[in-house]
Amino acid sequence: MALLLTPTSGGVQDWRQALVAAMPGLDVRVWPETGNRADIDIIALGAPPAGALRDLPKLGLIISLTAGTDALLRDPDLPAVPIVRVGVPPAGDTMMNETTLLHVMRHHRYLPDYARAQQRGEWIKRPITPSRERKVGVMGLGPIGLAAAKVLAAAGFQVAGWVRRPRSADGIEIFSGREGLNAFLARSEIVVNLLPLTPETRGILNAATFKALPVGASMINLGRGEHVVEADLIAALDSGHLADATLDVFPVEPLPGDSPLWRHPKITVMPHVARRLVPTELAPRVRDIIADFRAGRPPAQMVDRARGY
Ligand code: NDP
């Protein structure tokens, strides 16, 4: 029995060390040095390198070290074994909470506007709005999105969330389904995308979505690059309907040098730095997943392939 590890955020050698420290004796193989592929019963990965999922006759479990499983689910060699996400603690991912709060605050207090005014050497004052009067919308209340929404609510913002199935969440107004989307957008002055990338959510940040936001709204994309229709975003910013956007994720990363997003005055480009995986923090959770698997217990936090997350 062996675990195959492929490079991901956090550094493959740091992951290896952390996993072995949490599970002494665990046979960890680092891609592409697989050794005998018939030994491998578990693979732990982020986005799979081409061919990593091929020819693993004894594979019984895939552990996604990253929250997003879109690249994994698109892999043509994906075998029909359970996929489990490492998951985040109930308080969420600290770095994602920080990143969400940071960018919401930037837009809330018009920092992009002040940066442009400084470039022009212009002393401007935008009205200062208290957070209790600011309406923020979070698209996707998964483990990361829900925790981030709660942090925003604790900072005083009026927070709403958009999800697939109706439910309740303390202090957060819930909108659900396509039928709830326009009402959710219409009340959101700052919208944060934390949806998973699925066939249903690909291109969801498009002209119709931007039009449904109030004039002067800002958009923060922390989900996946393919959620955004780039031409529609640029048009919405150029028309003045949207004030500003911050993008942390892109369909092609690193973002190509000739992308118009780099130099658009109303777009902040962040090089996918919302969070970093910390192997020493996550290794105990991986250990628990492996212990359940090897003891034949059903896995928790399984990815639903049909749903796409
Ligand atoms: P999930 O990926 O588990 O997303 C689930 C949430 O999205 C649920 O609330 C779900 O609704 C909602 N959702 C899914 N499909 C739809 C739909 N069609 N319509 C409405 N709502 C929908 O959440 P996480 O919080 O774990 O992660 C969010 C995403 O953030 C990841 O998938 C990843 O892409 C991204 N991410 C980005 C990082 C970065 O570095 N920028 C780092 C970490 C994550 P319901 O509750 O009804 O099921």
Side-chain angles (χ1 to χ4, degrees):
M1 290 187 298
L3 178 143
L4 176 62
L5 179 66
T6 77
T8 191
S9 160
V12 76
Q13 287 309 332
D14 287 355
W15 267 112
R16 207 187 88 78
Q17 272 176 21
L19 293 177
V20 172
M23 289 161 279
L26 182 72
D27 181 355
V28 179
R29 315 265 172 94
V30 174
W31 173 262
E33 307 299 326
T34 59
N36 181 358
R37 295 176 80 109
D39 297 339
I40 293 162
D41 64 336
I42 302 172
I43 184 166
L45 39 59
L53 292 164
R54 213 174 288 152
D55 304 328
L56 298 171
K58 298 276 168 55
L59 190 73
L61 179 69
I62 298 173
I63 301 177
S64 176
L65 302 173
T66 54
T69 52
D70 43 288
L72 176 63
L73 294 178
R74 281 200 305 266
D75 192 298
D77 298 318
L78 184 66
V81 301
I83 302 169
V84 179
R85 293 198 290 182
V86 173
V88 296
D93 180 280
T94 315
M95 294 182 210
M96 290 303 284
N97 290 347
E98 287 170 4
T99 300
T100 306
L101 186 60
L102 166 73
H103 290 296
V104 168
M105 284 292 185
R106 280 179 58 244
H107 291 287
H108 167 57
R109 297 299 290 262
Y110 309 109
L111 257 61
D113 222 7
Y114 287 117
R116 286 188 292 266
Q118 181 173 352
Q119 294 269 314
R120 301 189 301 270
E122 214 178 293
W123 183 273
I124 59 161
K125 283 180 191 267
R126 298 290 308 263
I128 301 173
T129 305
S131 59
R132 66 177 178 276
E133 289 174 20
R134 180 71 73 199
K135 293 181 172 158
V136 181
V138 179
M139 300 176 81
L141 298 180
I144 290 175
L146 179 62
K150 286 182 176 168
V151 166
L152 294 172
F157 294 106
Q158 293 183 39
V159 182
W162 184 62
V163 294
R164 223 158 51 101
R165 296 155 305 181
R167 60 164 139 144
S168 64
D170 273 353
I172 296 164
E173 191 183 356
I174 299 286
F175 294 81
S176 63
R178 285 281 163 176
E179 61 284 4
L181 181 58
N182 278 354
F184 163 82
L185 294 168
R187 53 73 67 201
S188 297
E189 297 164 281
I190 301 173
V191 71
V192 183
N193 175 41
L194 275 165
L195 287 166
L197 181 65
T198 70
E200 280 178 40
T201 65
R202 179 177 294 271
I204 194 152
L205 299 170
N206 56 33
T209 306
F210 299 138
K211 196 171 160 212
L213 287 166
V215 175
S218 296
M219 188 275 282
I220 300 164
N221 186 23
L222 303 177
R224 286 287 179 262
E226 294 91 335
H227 282 133
V228 178
V229 179
E230 183 180 306
D232 291 2
L233 173 63
I234 291 174
L237 290 165
D238 289 348
S239 74
H241 189 87
L242 281 192
D244 280 292
T246 293
L247 309 174
D248 183 64
V249 281
F250 304 89
V252 178
E253 296 181 1
L255 182 63
D258 60 356
S259 166
L261 302 175
W262 278 117
R263 276 161 282 276
H264 196 286
K266 295 181 175 178
I267 293 176
T268 301
V269 169
M270 299 298 294
H272 202 148
V273 287
R275 79 154 166 179
R276 169 174 74 81
L277 297 178
V278 183
T280 47
E281 280 176 14
L282 296 172
R285 306 177 81 88
V286 177
R287 179 193 57 211
D288 295 347
I289 293 169
I290 292 176
D292 282 347
F293 169 66
R294 293 213 166 135
R297 289 188 289 269
Q301 298 235 33
M302 247 178 78
V303 173
D304 179 333
R305 290 169 190 241
R307 215 173 51 165
Y309 62 99

